Amino acid sequence: MESAEDQGLDATPTRRAALTVKDIARAAEVSPMTVSRVLSGGKNVRPALREHVEQVIADLGYHRNENARSLRPGQRSGLVGVLITNIGNPYYAGVVQGIEQVVGATGRRILVATTNEDGDLERQLLSDFLGRQVEGLIVVPVGQDGERFAAARRNDVPLVLASRTVASVAADAVLIDDVRGAHEATTLMLEAGHRRIAFLGNKVSVSTGQRRLRGFRGAFADHGSVPDEDLVVLGLQDTATAETAMRELLGTPDRPTAVFAANNRISIGAIRAIAKATADGSLETPPHLSAFDSFDFADMAPIPLSVIDHDPSELGRVAARMLLSRMDGSADGAAPRLVELPVHLVHH
């Protein structure tokens, strides 16, 4: 019978020597080939069957061990896994830079992967990181499925959530002061006389979107009013969907006079739509835009613009310090910690 090491699998200490792909297949009542395909990413396996096998593997507490042959017993990998949602977004590049500065100073290296807001890919990448024996994880989570982090918790791998939280996961987290930033920016627009203010946001399952929408609504409430729900557009994932949403709002008879954009990708899409409508003459007076997160050439935007700014590199540095304090034991026994970093308004 092949050993767990031969199969590239890692087990809990009490069962490490016995587990093989055949054992998992027997427990899941599937073929060893199906288990191998699931462990390799789940291609050519029906989604329901893949989820069943993944659940059996999770219940047993095992994961692929890519370092089984290279690490000696008791040797640490010196690796920290970092999961972000979009490497093409300069914001997350700044977060990674901050993490690397702090982690690299300890002699460790970071492994970076991108989920592209795909929950299934997030689960697979987490499994891959555990298989490479990472000493800790920093994750920008995709949604609210806390079960994806169960294997990390079972294996006592420290976890820090960055920029977003997952309600069911008790872990350290570092966030931006989303609520206050959105509240202050919206308040300024209301005090400038704007009442028809659009909100362009991302998925409701993303905690930052929820928090920024709460700050937006709170500013209206403090002024004894409510936003026009026809101007609240959610589920925008990129610049293209944001541009389409903004163009449609500009085409309405009673168009918004101001816009709150919940992140930098949405802001760029909104600016494109506004600039095109201004250039073709269909829009005489561009709306004021309040943008959460800065972006390249914000100071050159062809419309009135305010940016709710902060330092993504600092978010990365804080997340890394929190993780290292768990890894070195200095935060042992401490309850999950939450840090909210400040924001400030910049007018262009």
Side-chain angles (χ1 to χ4, degrees):
M1 179 177 288
E2 295 174 279
S3 69
E5 182 174 327
D6 290 337
Q7 286 292 338
L9 295 170
D10 190 26
T12 55
T14 58
R15 291 179 291 180
R16 185 181 303 274
L19 186 76
T20 68
V21 164
K22 292 179 180 178
D23 296 325
I24 297 174
R26 190 177 302 112
E29 297 183 342
V30 298
S31 70
M33 179 61 72
T34 297
V35 175
S36 296
R37 286 173 176 169
V38 170
L39 289 170
S40 299
K43 292 182 179 180
N44 302 318
V45 181
R46 297 193 316 275
L49 183 57
R50 183 199 68 211
E51 291 178 7
H52 167 66
V53 175
E54 288 176 340
Q55 187 60 55
V56 170
I57 293 171
D59 290 342
L60 292 174
Y62 298 97
H63 53 267
R64 292 178 65 86
N65 185 352
E66 305 296 345
N67 288 347
R69 296 172 182 169
S70 60
L71 289 181
R72 295 186 298 274
Q75 181 182 7
R76 295 185 179 276
S77 69
L79 300 175
V80 168
V82 179
L83 272 186
I84 59 174
T85 61
N86 182 1
I87 194 63
N89 187 334
Y91 174 86
Y92 289 117
V95 172
V96 171
Q97 183 181 46
I99 294 171
E100 198 281 330
Q101 288 172 353
V102 174
V103 171
T106 70
R108 297 178 175 89
R109 293 176 295 144
I110 63 173
L111 296 176
V112 182
T114 304
T115 63
N116 295 318
E117 300 286 3
D118 183 326
D120 289 337
L121 180 57
E122 180 182 62
R123 179 184 289 107
Q124 181 61 52
L125 290 170
L126 285 168
S127 177
D128 289 348
F129 279 165
L130 293 174
R132 285 168 173 76
Q133 303 291 285
V134 295
E135 297 180 32
L137 290 164
I138 298 176
V139 179
V140 180
V142 170
Q144 293 297 310
D145 182 4
E147 183 59 30
R148 294 175 192 150
F149 300 97
R153 311 311 275 171
R154 278 194 298 269
N155 288 277
D156 294 323
V157 177
L159 167 69
V160 173
L161 301 179
S163 184
R164 304 171 178 178
T165 57
V166 179
S168 61
V169 176
D172 292 332
V174 54
L175 308 176
I176 300 304
D177 196 347
D178 303 291
V179 178
R180 186 176 69 83
H183 189 285
E184 289 188 0
T186 306
T187 295
L188 287 178
M189 290 187 284
L190 289 166
E191 291 178 348
H194 297 287
R195 291 297 178 267
R196 293 191 58 73
I197 306 175
F199 182 94
L200 302 182
N202 48 9
K203 294 192 300 184
V204 294
S205 62
V206 175
S207 64
T208 49
Q210 297 171 7
R211 287 159 53 86
R212 293 169 189 180
L213 181 57
R214 191 194 324 157
F216 175 80
R217 293 191 190 280
F220 273 89
D222 288 348
H223 281 73
S225 180
V226 293
D228 184 340
E229 293 302 322
D230 289 338
L231 301 181
V232 176
V233 183
L234 305 176
L236 306 175
Q237 289 295 94
D238 49 32
T239 57
T241 54
E243 181 178 351
T244 298
M246 187 74 254
R247 183 172 61 249
E248 291 175 353
L249 288 174
L250 293 175
T252 58
D254 196 7
R255 61 171 64 107
T257 63
V259 180
F260 182 98
N263 63 40
N264 55 3
R265 300 291 92 185
I266 292 174
S267 298
I268 293 171
I271 289 173
R272 286 177 178 170
I274 295 169
K276 289 177 182 178
T278 303
D280 66 20
S282 60
L283 180 63
E284 192 170 314
T285 304
H288 179 91
L289 178 67
S290 284
F292 214 115
D293 304 333
S294 190
F295 51 91
D296 289 342
F297 308 115
D299 58 335
M300 299 175 64
I303 65 172
L305 175 67
S306 298
V307 173
I308 305 146
D309 200 11
H310 56 93
D311 183 1
S313 295
E314 179 62 10
L315 186 147
R317 287 189 288 270
V318 172
R321 293 186 194 111
M322 294 175 79
L323 183 69
L324 291 174
S325 71
R326 293 291 185 182
M327 290 166 55
D328 65 19
S330 60
D332 277 356
R337 300 163 293 176
L338 174 64
V339 174
E340 288 191 314
L341 301 180
V343 298
H344 61 279
L345 286 173
V346 178
H347 303 287
H348 295 293

